[in-house]
Structures are given as structure tokens and as C-alpha cells.
Amino acid sequence: MNWEMITGVASLVIALCALVFSIWQGFQVRKHNKMAFRPHLSSWSHSQHDKDVYIVELLNNGLGPAVIKNFTIKVDGKKISGEGTELMEKAIKALFPDMEFNYQYGHLGEKYAMGAKEKRTLLSIQFLDDELPPSDDIKRTLSRADLEVEYESFYGEKFFLSTANESHPK
């Protein structure tokens, strides 16, 4: 073996090592980016007792946008049929059929991209009856509803939120 051949083989080995390292580094960067920009949806319920107002919000606690694929509401395990804001209206009337209230509600449509740290009010309901049930009864009634959201990250990772599986503050 002469020095030219040794130099050529050494150069080839170094070039192959650099190629393998570059490919490995590319995979690691992609893996990091997927984790760094992952969405995470959760719900939050709270009330303003002095005004008899109950609020349900949807939050994206993740670092990346959540692309909504499907938005479903169930009451007592039965899927509410309808489209858009009709879902929320039917759910509220099913939960509180004999009560008077004012309400505002929202809906997330398919392909809506909910930004990182974004918060949307899904329901704000104010009861008007003079004889209101206790706050715990209203919270228990609201917990009969289950919001299911299928969503994706921009990388195509699929996620699912079911408020029936979340633990809510009491």
C-alpha cells in the first residue's frame, strides 16, 4: 500500500462518517421540531358565582397550532347531531330544558388552526331563574356533556381530546 491509497481510503471513511452524521442530525432536528411545536388542547370550566355565570373554555396549552379535524358534543353519551353552532345550542337545551338563561357559545370548525396559547370560550351561560339549583348541581349537569375534538399538529401527528377523560377542578 502506498500513501496515496491510504489517503484515499481515509478521505472516503471521513466523508462517509460526515454523511452519516449529517443524516442523523437531520432526523434529530425533525424529531425536536415535532416535539417543540406540538399542540395540546384542554378544557377549563369556571364560574362567576355572584353573576350566576358558568364558562367553559378550550385552551391550546401546547407550543404549536392545533388543526381541528372534528368537533363533537355528546350529552349522556349520545352524540348531538347538527352542524356548527347548532351543536352547542342543542346540547345546552338538552342539559337545562326547564331553566331560563342567556348564553353565548362558540364552535371550532374543521380545518381551523388554533394557535399556541390561544383560548376560545365555548360556552358562557347565565341563569335567570330566581330559584337556582346549587352550584354543584349545575357543575354536575354540565359534566354530563362531553366535548370531543380530533386535531393534528402541522406535522400531521393526530391527537384526541375528550372532556369525559379530563379531570376538572371541583
Side-chain angles (χ1 to χ4, degrees):
M1 276 177 91
N2 61 21
W3 285 106
E4 288 176 4
M5 184 175 267
I6 292 172
T7 304
V9 169
S11 297
L12 180 63
V13 168
I14 291 170
L16 285 175
C17 288
L19 177 64
V20 168
F21 179 75
S22 294
I23 291 171
W24 175 79
Q25 188 177 22
F27 282 116
Q28 293 302 316
V29 166
R30 180 169 170 81
K31 183 179 171 183
H32 172 268
N33 287 345
K34 284 173 85 172
M35 288 179 8
F37 297 103
R38 181 172 284 168
H40 181 264
L41 296 184
S42 61
S43 66
W44 174 251
S45 302
H46 56 99
S47 59
Q48 298 172 351
H49 295 292
D50 58 332
K51 298 178 184 176
D52 296 320
V53 175
Y54 296 83
I55 301 165
V56 178
E57 296 175 321
L58 185 67
L59 307 118
N60 182 357
N61 292 323
L63 298 174
V67 180
I68 307 300
K69 294 297 180 181
N70 193 12
F71 184 93
T72 305
I73 300 174
K74 293 181 179 179
V75 173
D76 298 325
K78 296 177 185 168
K79 182 178 176 180
I80 302 293
S81 62
E83 294 193 19
T85 56
E86 179 183 14
L87 293 172
M88 192 64 74
E89 190 170 334
K90 284 182 174 181
I92 294 306
K93 289 180 180 177
L95 290 169
F96 302 103
D98 299 325
M99 298 187 79
E100 290 186 42
F101 47 81
N102 288 326
Y103 60 96
Q104 295 176 345
Y105 51 85
H107 173 77
L108 301 178
E110 188 177 331
K111 296 184 181 176
Y112 174 72
M114 187 172 187
K117 307 301 178 201
E118 185 176 342
K119 174 173 58 172
R120 289 284 171 203
T121 300
L122 297 179
L123 172 67
S124 176
I125 185 167
Q126 180 179 29
F127 293 96
L128 304 174
D129 291 340
D130 292 332
E131 295 294 321
L132 286 177
S135 176
D136 290 342
D137 289 352
I138 292 173
K139 289 178 183 178
R140 200 172 3 270
T141 300
L142 285 172
S143 72
R144 291 176 32 216
D146 178 22
L147 171 67
E148 295 180 345
V149 182
E150 295 175 38
Y151 62 102
E152 291 182 358
S153 70
F154 278 162
Y155 282 96
E157 295 173 292
K158 297 182 185 312
F159 301 96
F160 182 76
L161 166 71
S162 172
T163 57
N165 299 329
E166 284 188 326
S167 60
H168 295 279
K170 304 264 187 236

